Structures are given as structure tokens and as C-alpha cells.
Amino acid sequence: MPDAPLLLSDLTVLDLSQGISGPYCAKLLAGFGARVIKVEPSRGDYARGMGPFLGDLPGPERSGLFLYLNTSKESVTLNLDTPGGASLLRRLAAQADIIIESFPPGQMEAWGLGHESLAGANPGLVHASITPFGQTGPYAHYLSSEIVIQALSALQYPVGLPDREPLKIGGSPTLMTTGVSAFSAVMVALHFRDLTGEGQHLDISAIECAAVSQIHASVHAQFGGDNPMRRDSQLSRTKDGWINVGIQDSSWVEFCDLIGQPELAWDERFLDMAARRKNAKPLVEILDVWLADQEKERVYHQLQAMRSIAGPVLTVADLFESPQYQARAFFKTVDHPTTGPLPYPGAPFTVAGIPWRMERAPLLGEHNEQVLCGGLGLTPPDLARLREAGAL
Amino acid sequence: MSRQALSGLRILDLTQVAAGPYSTFTLGFLGAEIIKVESHKRGDSTRGHVVPPPHQFFTYPDGKPGPRPWDQRADYVQRNRNKLGVTLDLTMPEGKAVFLRLVERCDALMENFRAAVMERWGLDFATLLKANPRLVYLKMSSQGNTGPERNYGSLGYTMENIAGLTSMTGYEGERPLMTNETYPDPVAGTLGIGGLLLGFRYLRQTGKGCFIDMSQREVTTGLLGDAVMDYTMNGRIAGTMGNRHRAAAPHGVYPCAGDDEWVAIAVENDAQWAGLCRALGDPAWAHDPRFADAAARWRLQADIDRPLGEWTRRLTKHDAMERLQAAGVPAGAMLKGKEVIHDPHLTERDFWDWNYTPAVGRAYAYVGIAWHYSKTPRRAGFPAPALGEHNHQVFGGLLGMTEDEIAELERKGVIGTEPEWKTTPV
């Protein structure tokens, strides 16, 4: 029996998206086996121009953001503003199973590449539009950025200290989460297509993917609670960073032994959870004195061993030292001509133990011949003509 | 014509608290039948106290706990909509036997316990596969199913710490701060849906059930790829940078008219800078040659922030957002809690799922689904189940038990509809 296709290895994805959200969605599809053809304009996905850069020197093959978000993809360059480029895309779309794109609403239609038009030739096509605000609604044409989504989704307002301005959560969590969310949304559409043969159009917006975070606060507020407010974090300083410590009732005696103060177990101020809550201030002072001499990762394991929960604030460097990440071989090394081999975060999950696919991100236009000649049957002179016409 | 994408799938849901229940809640919108299994001796901890203390009354509809507070607490009802609810004590042999019969009749199982919990109950994957060789099993634990920390617990906010997110959140150059939002919970919950459906694809391809191993911690670190790359490429350890951007300026939040009102602004290129100048009425300071290029603006951003804040302070946050967006500048009003429910954009996109709550005689807006499908719209949401509400429907209807058999389970304490816990820490 020939090997059956596994997970997504029978599928071809056209990734027309740029930036963060769409590319992360397509990266996940590639990681689970889909062939992903990234279609870039001649200047490349704009993420190639976003840092961090190798050695802090910008360059299209030097962006760590781009390299991470585009693993296991092929790259072709197509100028969709030219009739030749649009026509090649139409031919690629006729053979594709999934299209991921992130153009402003109406742009695909303006090129004659709207969903109706592409689905006419390929009714099974799953077409996901991933944009900041979606295809409809009063903000549909608004411009966006991570901090704009965090603000407008009510995510940012309660982050930070009470007497300071609202604080952005670090990195690009909402734009990345939009990619995660779009991946699941596409898997839903694919399930439906596997059963019925029918494709469809998906309208996915970062603002809604971020507003999902309000599932908790929105209900609280309507039931009569206050809006969530900024408040300080319960973090204590250790010898090598910060940690959040929560002692379970059942661990209290053991914990007092651990910190070398067994007499605290009989101290009336801390006898049970209610008493410890009431006397939080002296308790935190005692804790802080002890923690100041400890290593955060060690305290984490000590408390977990007594079934209490502790959360050390790990830096990106600490993550590489994590015994858990090491045991699971979470980081995977990827070689690339400009950076050499580097470890990248690996699979977000595994199915039936099937290894996650992790090949380096493509160079700009690296697969033009392979995709256009091999896939569409163009000849090298055809390519030269298209290049001359500005289509490639 | 209205059909849901996942009609016909029946999912057994052992997930508790936040990330897992968010997954199954969304699967319910997509048409799957969700059977939430709890024990009436323990319950999902988000159901809270049987007799809630007064300082928690605000978490109940209209501030009133009502006769069955555990059935209507905010933390429980928000993520357990769209599900049927049954009770089973899985530590009892009779409970396990019924559970295995449910496994036979369901397509998938989702749970988010520490790794060893199911093993302790004798309900590991190998055992479940014997009951149903086509079972798709998604385990969404904090740390994954392997490794020395597989039995470690976590909460949403400790997860952001151990996955790296907190280390990058904080005012510029100051100590880290947690998000206060348990940000990772819905992220893993959302990805769980894709994971489960990939499992179904594997089942269609091989005819065999499968185990999906998802670590919420790894999912969260996956969101930080660019910071990881900055470390591996350049040796730089991402720290706190407040509301600033790595390369673009001005970038931050600016005060608006009113109390604690703000607008977020992100200027990422020359065209947006020109738009900002236009929106401000082309003031002289903005045309200072010192601000002519992006690198200079980034270096001198404090000098831009000051006059920009003076301009925004005179406007409401929505006015500032609209004027800036009209000029081609990314800007967003800083919405506070319930303001997001009345946001015109989310309203027009039908994001909220308005549902009437009979107990208090009014409708509340619940989070709907973030995705819009041209062919398979979401199903109308329905309320979270009362404790053991569907015991008869599921054990009688689906498993074919007689009323006597169900009564016997109740008499033995295997199932129940009244909570037997006193208090649960959340």
C-alpha cells in the first residue's frame, strides 16, 4: 500500500499574506505538512523589512521575524498589478486548496481575483482573508498595528500600574494570536470541505480574535461588576529575576519548613488561607526576604513538588535552560544561508506523534522556476518574457 | 439555508476552568454537540462557592447569586455556553464504566488536566482506544504530556510568566508586569480547535484514532518567535519597552479628554507621519527638520510625544481616533471593559451573542465567535448547563439507560445534580 497522505501533506496553500498574522497561519499549515507557496511582490513581504535583523543590519534575508514566520514555505514573486501576474495567480489558484491573504478589503476584487471569481474555477477553494478589522463594518478600512488592536479590543486598558498609562503587552501577541485563530478557522473550513467538497470564504479580523479575550471581563461588567482596572503584579524579586508565588493551603506547613521558619506554621496570622489573605503584607515581607536569596527556577520546582503553583518570570534566554523544553526538544534547529543554524520555537502541538516540519524560510523568489515552470508548465523563455513585462 | 461546519460531531468535554472550556464553547457554535462531564462532588472550579460570600456577589447576574449560584456564576457561564452538562464521579468504578460507554458513543475527547490525572483514573489513551478505536483525543495540558514538568499545574497568569511573555511586558526599562488578563488561555483554547480537526483528518486518512499533545506553555512561547530569534541571532534578551516600538515612532498611548481616557497611536512610516502632521493641522513643531526621517523621529520620540499629547488631550478618544484614521494614521480608542460591548464595529459584525437570561429577565451580550464563514454560519448560542442538567437526556437518550438505572447511579452517588463541595479556590 502506498503511503497515505498524512495530516495536510495532500494540500497546496497559496500564501499571499504579509506581515505577521497571515504568515503565521500559513506557517502552521506548512508545519503540519501542507505545501505552502508564498506569493510575494517583487520587493518582498514587508515583514522582510521588519526587525529584529541579524546583526541589526536590515536586509530581505536578515529579518528574524520573517525567518520565523515563513518556515517550510516556497517563495515566488508575482506582480499582481500586471495582467500577466494576476493571470498566473489565477492559474495557481485553480490548482490550490487554500488561499491565505491579508490585502485591504476590496483589493483582491480590484485585481479580478475576488473569491467569487477564483471559486468559479475551483469550487473547493478555501479562501481566508485575514485583516485587522475584517471585510465589513465601520472600521473595515482603518489602519492598524499591534497597539491599536490591543487598545480597541479593551485588552490594554487594565494592563499596567494604577497611576500610570495603560501598558501594551510585550511583543505582537494579538497579531500572532490572529494567525493561530485563523489556522483553526481554516481547519474548520477544511473539515467541511473534506466532507462536502465545498470551499468557502472566511472573513477573519484581528480585532475580533483579540476581543475574544474579553470573554471574562465583558460578562463580569454586565453582571454588575466594575470594569477591570490596572493593578500591580504580585511578583517578588529573586537572586536572578522575578517570580509569582502562590502557596496552597495544603502546602503551608511544608513551605514553612522549606524557608527554614517552621514556627510560622503555628503563627496565628497565617493559620489558614483567610488569615494569610488578611495578613498578606507581613507574609509578603517574609516571603520576599527568603526569595531574595533564591534562584527563581529552583523555587518553581520546589513549590511545584509540594503542589503549589509558582510562576518564575522566564526571559527568552531562560527558556533555553528550561528542563521541560529541553526534555521535549521544543526548540528545533534550522539552517539558513545568511544566519547559519539557529534554534527556533517548534511545534505548537503534535498529532499522533507525527514530526513537525521545520525547513528554513525561502529566499525572495527562490522557487519561481520550480513553481511556475514545474507547476504551471511555463518555459524559461516564458519566464523571461514575464520578467520583462514586470509580472515577476 | 443554514448548516454548521461541524454538525454531526459529538465531543466529550472533560476540560475545566478556562482554556479548554473556551475550545469546546467555540466548537459548540460551529455545530458540534458538546457533552461536558463534571463531578457533582467537585464541579468545574469556576462554579465557585455553594454559598458565595457577599464580596463575590458581583460575579452573579444582576449581583444576585440566586437559588443555584453554582449554575450562574460569570466565570462559569461565559465559557460553558453551547454545551450539554452531565455529572459522573470518575473515581468510582461505576462512574468509569459509564464514562467508557460515553467514549464509545463520542467522536472526540478533550481534557486539560495535569498529565497523570487520567492515568490515575485508569482512563489513559490506550484504555480509551479499546472502548473506541476511532477516538480523537486532545490533551491540552499546561506543560504537555511528556517531560519532567508534565504534572506541574499552572494558572493563566503563571503561564505567561513561564512561557516568556511577562519578561517582555512592563514600562520601559522597568520591572516586568503580568497582564492581569490570563492572556494565554483563549489562545491555547482557540488552537485546540485546529488541533482537534487535524486529528479528525488523521482519522479519515488512517481509520485510526489519535492522541494530540498540546502544551499551553509551548503555544504561548510560539507567539514570541521574533524575540527568540533576536536572542539566538544577536544575543539580545528582550526586556520591557513600555508602549514603544522597536523601530517606529511616535508610538504609544496618549491622554484624551476625560478621566483615564487614552488613544493608541502607531506611526510606522513616512506617509503616516505626514498624515499625522496633517491631522494636527500642520503645526510648526511637526515640521522641525529634526523630525524629517524615521530614524530621527525614533531617537527624538519624547520630543514628539509631548506636543502630540497636548493635541490629543483636547479631544475625546473616539474623536482623536477618527481624525487620525481619516488622515491615514493607525490609531485606536482605548476601550474600557464594557465599552467593547457597544463598540459599533463589533456590533455591526455581529460579534456578540445576545442572550436572554430568564432568571433576571434581561439579555446579556456574550462573546460569540471571531470567524465569519460564507457558507457555514455559527449556531445561535444557548446557556451553560446547570449541574447535571442533561443526565437523563444523555444517559437515557444516548446510552439507552432506563430510569431505574439512572436512579441507581444517583443513589450510589455516581451522579447528582446538587453540589457536594463547600468551597473551591479559583
Side-chain angles (χ1 to χ4, degrees):
Chain A
M1 198 173 102
D3 284 348
L6 279 182
L7 302 182
L8 305 179
S9 63
D10 56 332
L11 301 177
T12 299
V13 178
L14 286 188
D15 175 17
L16 278 65
S17 69
Q18 300 185 43
I20 294 177
S21 306
Y24 194 43
C25 169
K27 169 195 167 95
L28 295 174
L29 295 168
F32 291 107
R35 178 184 186 202
V36 177
I37 301 170
K38 185 173 179 74
V39 179
E40 303 186 68
S42 47
R43 68 186 175 282
D45 176 349
Y46 64 78
R48 290 183 185 269
M50 291 164 70
F53 298 104
L54 176 67
D56 293 330
L57 294 172
E61 315 298 348
R62 305 177 69 86
S63 158
L65 177 74
F66 178 87
L67 295 179
Y68 175 64
L69 291 175
N70 293 284
T71 47
S72 310
K73 302 181 187 177
E74 298 166 30
S75 166
V76 299
T77 50
L78 278 186
N79 183 352
L80 300 177
D81 285 321
T82 65
S87 145
L88 284 177
L89 186 82
R90 179 183 303 282
R91 289 173 64 188
L92 287 170
Q95 299 176 0
D97 302 285
I98 298 169
I99 284 195
I100 309 289
E101 53 93 3
S102 61
F103 295 110
Q107 179 66 65
M108 290 285 279
E109 286 78 3
W111 283 322
L113 300 169
H115 177 68
E116 306 272 297
S117 159
L118 296 180
N122 182 358
L125 189 66
V126 171
H127 176 160
S129 301
I130 304 168
T131 56
F133 294 102
Q135 305 295 303
T136 63
Y139 307 159
H141 292 277
Y142 273 14
L143 297 178
S144 180
S145 170
E146 175 68 30
I147 197 170
V148 169
I149 296 295
Q150 288 197 23
L152 259 179
S153 63
L155 186 59
Q156 184 171 356
Y157 179 72
V159 185
L161 297 171
D163 54 345
R164 306 272 294 272
E165 71 276 17
L167 178 65
K168 175 182 161 289
I169 302 173
S172 306
T174 71
L175 298 182
M176 294 294 290
T177 299
T178 300
V180 163
S181 192
F183 166 78
S184 284
V186 166
M187 292 305 302
V188 170
L190 191 61
H191 181 88
F192 183 75
R193 179 186 113 133
D194 281 349
L195 301 186
T196 65
E198 291 178 52
Q200 57 180 321
H201 182 241
L202 283 69
D203 172 9
I204 293 160
S205 69
I207 191 68
E208 286 165 296
C209 294
V212 157
S213 65
Q214 300 306 301
I215 187 165
H216 186 77
S218 62
V219 174
H220 264 265
Q222 294 177 88
F223 279 10
D226 296 322
N227 288 329
M229 294 299 293
R230 298 193 285 286
R231 60 179 196 274
D232 201 353
S233 297
Q234 288 179 17
L235 290 174
S236 302
R237 194 191 275 280
T238 64
K239 216 155 80 175
D240 57 351
W242 300 85
I243 193 168
N244 170 276
V245 164
I247 318 287
Q248 298 286 330
D249 238 354
S250 54
S251 319
W252 176 242
V253 176
E254 212 178 330
F255 179 73
C256 295
D257 282 342
L258 174 72
I259 67 172
Q261 302 191 46
E263 69 281 3
L264 283 182
W266 291 276
D267 191 319
E268 277 181 11
R269 294 173 301 168
F270 312 126
L271 271 185
D272 56 24
M273 197 63 102
R276 290 199 290 279
R277 209 163 272 156
K278 203 169 130 222
N279 296 301
K281 213 171 158 217
L283 178 61
V284 167
E285 280 167 18
I286 293 169
L287 269 176
D288 283 355
V289 169
W290 180 72
L291 286 166
D293 280 331
Q294 308 299 313
E295 286 162 7
K296 60 190 177 184
E297 177 88 18
R298 183 145 181 266
V299 174
Y300 167 59
H301 299 298
Q302 287 169 327
L303 263 68
Q304 290 281 0
M306 54 179 80
R307 302 188 68 72
S308 272
I309 288 174
V313 176
L314 301 188
T315 66
V316 289
D318 296 331
L319 295 175
F320 285 91
E321 305 301 318
S322 156
Q324 179 66 4
Y325 278 4
Q326 287 174 358
R328 285 171 64 81
F330 173 59
F331 292 102
K332 297 275 185 255
T333 297
V334 178
D335 200 358
H336 184 278
T338 56
T339 66
L342 291 176
Y344 290 42
F349 62 88
T350 55
V351 178
I354 295 171
W356 162 257
R357 188 167 143 228
M358 191 85 152
E359 293 147 23
R360 69 165 172 82
L363 309 176
L364 183 60
E366 183 176 351
H367 302 89
N368 279 352
E369 284 195 23
Q370 187 180 324
V371 170
L372 299 176
C373 299
L376 294 184
L378 301 189
T379 60
D382 291 338
L383 279 193
R385 252 195 314 281
L386 284 162
R387 206 166 276 131
E388 223 159 275
L392 291 187
Chain B
M1 182 178 61
S2 170
R3 39 183 187 164
Q4 280 88 39
L6 305 184
S7 302
L9 287 187
R10 185 181 295 132
I11 294 161
L12 202 48
D13 178 15
L14 276 175
T15 65
Q16 309 273 312
V17 190
Y22 176 73
S23 254
T24 47
F25 150 86
T26 303
L27 287 162
F29 269 133
L30 296 165
E33 181 184 324
I34 312 296
I35 303 176
K36 181 179 177 75
V37 181
E38 298 167 89
S39 159
H40 65 292
K41 295 166 187 165
R42 201 145 177 253
D44 189 316
S45 66
T46 59
R47 288 180 180 273
H49 296 268
V50 173
V51 182
H55 73 267
Q56 282 196 4
F57 282 12
F58 73 92
T59 67
Y60 298 89
D62 220 9
K64 300 185 184 89
R68 290 178 65 90
W70 54 88
D71 285 339
Q72 50 171 1
R73 187 159 181 254
D75 308 59
Y76 169 72
V77 299
Q78 54 176 341
R79 286 174 233 247
N80 288 291
R81 302 171 55 69
N82 311 333
K83 305 175 188 180
L84 304 175
V86 301
T87 51
L88 270 183
D89 182 344
L90 295 178
T91 65
M92 299 173 75
E94 296 91 337
K96 270 190 264 260
V98 175
F99 184 76
L100 287 172
R101 288 176 65 188
L102 283 174
V103 168
E104 273 173 49
R105 305 300 306 273
C106 289
D107 302 296
L109 170 68
M110 292 180 79
E111 52 97 353
N112 61 348
F113 295 119
R114 301 176 195 223
V117 171
M118 295 293 279
E119 293 163 15
R120 205 169 62 225
W121 287 338
L123 295 170
D124 55 290
F125 180 55
T127 305
L128 299 177
L129 259 193
K130 276 185 210 129
N132 179 357
R134 297 173 61 83
L135 185 70
V136 174
Y137 182 145
L138 178 87
K139 181 168 190 67
M140 188 196 295
S141 55
S142 298
Q143 302 275 0
N145 196 44
T146 60
E149 296 170 29
R150 66 194 289 263
N151 284 316
Y152 281 18
S154 75
L155 295 164
Y157 56 88
T158 57
M159 180 58 68
E160 10 179 288
N161 292 0
I162 61 176
L165 182 61
T166 306
S167 73
M168 308 163 42
T169 301
Y171 296 101
E172 191 179 9
E174 299 181 28
R175 68 193 161 98
L177 292 170
M178 301 191 286
T179 69
N180 294 338
E181 306 243 14
T182 68
Y183 185 77
D185 282 339
V187 183
T190 304
L191 188 58
I193 295 162
L196 191 80
L197 294 170
L198 209 48
F200 278 113
R201 211 156 196 272
Y202 178 86
L203 170 66
R204 286 193 294 277
Q205 291 166 341
T206 63
K208 290 190 276 197
C210 60
F211 183 84
I212 301 151
D213 179 14
M214 180 181 290
S215 150
Q216 296 182 39
R217 183 180 183 184
E218 290 169 356
V219 169
T220 307
T221 296
L223 305 180
L224 313 179
D226 54 334
V228 171
M229 298 293 292
D230 200 13
Y231 174 63
T232 58
M233 290 189 315
N234 299 322
R236 186 179 290 125
I237 299 173
T240 52
M241 53 197 285
N243 291 324
R244 298 214 190 279
H245 187 272
R246 199 194 301 276
H251 189 281
V253 302
Y254 298 84
C256 291
D259 178 29
D260 198 19
E261 303 286 354
W262 308 83
V263 64
I265 302 173
V267 173
E268 294 178 334
N269 55 45
D270 288 341
Q272 293 173 359
W273 170 249
L276 182 79
C277 297
R278 227 169 28 248
L280 267 60
D282 282 315
W285 68 263
H287 290 282
D288 188 326
R290 290 190 309 150
F291 301 145
D293 70 86
R297 291 194 294 272
W298 188 82
R299 238 177 15 252
L300 302 170
Q301 52 189 308
D303 294 345
I304 297 173
D305 285 348
R306 227 169 300 116
L308 180 53
E310 281 161 23
W311 179 78
T312 57
R313 201 183 287 279
R314 295 195 296 268
L315 304 170
T316 68
K317 61 188 174 190
H318 280 97
D319 199 9
M321 168 174 81
E322 283 160 22
R323 288 195 199 196
L324 289 165
Q325 287 282 359
V329 181
M334 182 78 62
L335 299 188
K336 300 176 179 179
K338 66 186 113 183
E339 287 175 353
V340 76
I341 297 165
H342 302 291
D343 175 72
H345 187 72
L346 292 176
T347 299
E348 189 168 319
R349 286 179 64 80
D350 198 25
F351 176 75
W352 299 100
D353 182 36
W354 283 90
N355 259 260
Y356 183 73
T357 300
V360 288
R362 56 169 286 197
Y364 292 107
Y366 296 94
V367 159
I369 188 170
W371 312 323
H372 302 266
Y373 290 96
S374 62
K375 283 194 187 154
T376 55
R378 78 173 187 226
R379 176 165 69 179
F382 57 89
L387 190 67
E389 179 177 347
H390 303 99
N391 282 353
H392 285 264
Q393 180 180 329
V394 171
F395 300 142
L398 181 65
L399 298 186
M401 288 184 175
T402 65
E403 285 300 308
D404 284 350
E405 286 170 317
I406 296 171
E408 177 70 5
L409 288 175
E410 198 150 355
R411 200 185 53 73
K412 285 185 175 157
V414 179
I415 67 173
T417 52
E418 296 299 321
E420 290 182 13
W421 69 89
K422 278 206 289 277
T423 171
T424 29
V426 176

